[in-house]
Amino acid sequence: MPKDNAPITMKDIATRFGVSVATVSRALKGNPRISEETRRKITEYAREHNFSPNLMAESLRNNRSMKIIGVIIPQFTHFYFSSILSGIEDEALKYGYRLLVAQSGEMYEREAETCRAFYENKVCGIVVSQAKGTSKYDHFQMLMDKGMPLVFYDRICTGINSSRVTVDDYMGAFQAVEYMISTGCRKIAFYGSDMKLEISKNRYNGWHDALLKHGINPDSCVKMVCDNRTDAERITPDVLSEYNRPDAFFAINDDTAIGIMYTAKRMGFNVPDDISVCGFTNGQRAIACDPMLTTVEQNGYEMGRQAAAILIDKVEGRVPIDKVVKRVIRTKLIIRGTTR
């Protein structure tokens, strides 16, 4: 139940009667699919507790002339997120929706404020990829409590059970590392993000399990928290100066992999004869470097398209708002010139 003086929500009512948020919504609208007795109890309880639904948001969800989807991306500068945005927009336009887009800048405070602003500006629903700096999820829970359709893509919030579209990070990493092992690499370093992010955990586990499968002790290999080119160029000289240096690197994204590759080349190593490098994204930069980058293709466009499709199904009532829909996009290893 809500704290003292806090407004009651549909979720509070649903908890009180042991039903879904969708059932409460239908009961308050007098939907005949809900029994008369249940409708009466829910309606009376809502009236007694001064429940006030977001009528403006509801009207906008049903208004075919004003259909706006809120989209939160971590950073505009990454090709991957721009490709996801293209997929979201193309799918939205098919159904007459427009986008209101903001970036979190990888900051919790900015992400939370954007969620509040989107809700107050009456968007139909929100599609979001969690910021790196987010470690609590009260702003997402607030949206769900208020009945706002919410779909995560790429970086999901594990603290709440919400619809999401992800790529098969684990298998993408596993297949990439296994391929490098097949070419003779035995000391494969891992450069990843903070382990609080689910994608970093999954890609780390794929790297880890591929090594174990082929009799390589993961503890004997370098593991670094590094997920951008600047940091890769800063720390890789020390890594490659070690006596037992890596003979390959698996990086969490293409920018990091490219930073590793150019650092190795500046130090006089040949890529891929001395050092193999594999990234994860398959963005435009992967084919703009020399040699071109071996990488795991994520298909951001399809991820965005499917995230938008799930959200629109919820907004238009084809799928209940509180139903959790989970989809996984398959990855593909693209072999180019940075691996043997």
Side-chain angles (χ1 to χ4, degrees):
M1 294 304 297
K3 298 178 181 179
D4 292 344
N5 299 321
I8 193 170
T9 66
M10 281 194 186
K11 184 176 180 181
D12 295 327
I13 301 174
T15 300
R16 170 65 178 79
F17 292 101
V19 298
S20 68
V21 173
T23 295
V24 173
S25 178
R26 294 187 186 108
L28 293 174
K29 295 175 184 176
N31 191 315
R33 293 172 56 186
I34 309 301
S35 71
E36 183 177 351
E37 178 67 12
T38 299
R39 294 202 310 270
R40 182 187 62 78
K41 289 180 178 179
I42 289 175
T43 302
E44 289 180 357
Y45 185 83
R47 187 183 303 115
E48 290 170 0
H49 290 80
N50 298 315
F51 171 71
S52 178
N54 190 335
L55 298 177
M56 181 63 77
E58 185 67 25
S59 67
L60 281 172
R61 290 184 190 117
N62 295 314
N63 186 340
R64 293 299 177 258
S65 65
M66 295 182 65
K67 302 194 295 185
I68 308 296
I69 293 173
V71 181
I72 305 176
I73 65 174
Q75 290 183 324
F76 284 119
T77 54
H78 288 291
F79 167 81
Y80 180 56
F81 290 121
S82 65
S83 66
I84 290 173
L85 186 59
S86 293
I88 294 172
E89 183 172 43
D90 285 354
E91 186 69 14
L93 289 174
K94 285 167 53 179
Y95 296 93
Y97 289 80
R98 296 295 185 270
L99 305 185
L100 185 60
V101 184
Q103 66 173 345
S104 66
E106 304 287 15
M107 296 180 288
Y108 161 78
E109 293 80 6
R110 193 164 166 181
E111 181 180 82
E113 177 56 34
T114 300
C115 285
R116 287 191 290 270
F118 278 174
Y119 179 77
E120 291 169 1
N121 283 279
K122 317 305 180 186
V123 298
C124 298
I126 297 175
V127 181
V128 58
S129 181
Q130 180 178 304
K132 290 179 186 176
T134 295
S135 58
K136 53 185 178 178
Y137 52 88
D138 52 314
H139 52 308
F140 296 137
Q141 190 63 59
M142 176 273 292
L143 294 173
M144 296 186 67
D145 289 347
K146 292 180 178 294
M148 173 69 71
L150 179 67
V151 178
F152 287 93
Y153 66 89
D154 190 46
R155 301 184 200 157
I156 64 173
C157 177
T158 58
I160 59 176
N161 193 24
S162 180
S163 296
R164 76 278 306 265
V165 182
T166 58
V167 299
D168 194 345
D169 294 298
Y170 173 87
M171 189 53 65
F174 184 95
Q175 291 176 343
V177 174
E178 187 168 56
Y179 171 75
M180 287 193 285
I181 293 171
S182 75
T183 66
C185 299
R186 303 293 295 178
K187 292 174 286 187
I188 304 173
F190 174 80
Y191 278 24
S193 296
D194 191 297
M195 285 298 170
K196 71 184 179 185
L197 291 175
E198 199 69 12
I199 63 168
S200 193
K201 291 178 186 176
N202 290 336
R203 293 177 194 179
Y204 171 85
N205 288 337
W207 166 85
H208 179 276
D209 291 355
L211 294 177
L212 283 181
K213 177 183 175 181
H214 293 275
I216 302 171
N217 182 1
D219 291 337
S220 69
C221 298
V222 172
K223 299 176 284 292
M224 304 294 290
V225 176
C226 176
D227 61 5
N228 61 77
R229 180 169 179 170
T230 299
D231 286 346
E233 293 184 351
R234 176 177 57 83
I235 68 175
T236 301
D238 287 341
V239 173
L240 288 177
S241 296
E242 295 178 0
Y243 171 75
N244 193 30
R245 65 168 177 80
D247 56 10
F249 291 80
F250 173 68
I252 196 167
N253 56 44
D254 286 356
D255 282 353
T256 303
I258 291 169
I260 295 167
M261 178 186 69
Y262 279 117
T263 299
K265 289 172 65 177
R266 283 197 300 270
M267 294 178 68
F269 294 100
N270 179 277
V271 177
D273 293 342
D274 300 324
I275 305 289
S276 287
V277 181
C278 180
F280 206 115
T281 300
N282 196 32
Q284 293 175 337
R285 293 173 185 173
I287 58 174
C289 57
D290 181 26
M292 290 191 288
L293 184 67
T294 293
T295 185
V296 178
E297 185 176 67
Q298 292 181 264
N299 199 342
Y301 180 89
E302 181 63 14
M303 173 178 287
R305 192 193 68 76
Q306 292 206 29
I310 293 171
L311 188 78
I312 292 169
D313 280 346
K314 288 175 176 286
V315 171
E316 299 194 348
R318 290 186 289 273
V319 173
I321 290 176
D322 59 344
K323 180 178 180 180
V324 175
V325 180
K326 300 179 181 180
R327 295 180 186 170
V328 178
I329 307 297
R330 291 185 178 181
T331 58
K332 180 181 180 182
L333 179 62
I334 307 298
I335 300 170
R336 299 194 179 101
T338 57
T339 50
R340 301 171 191 169

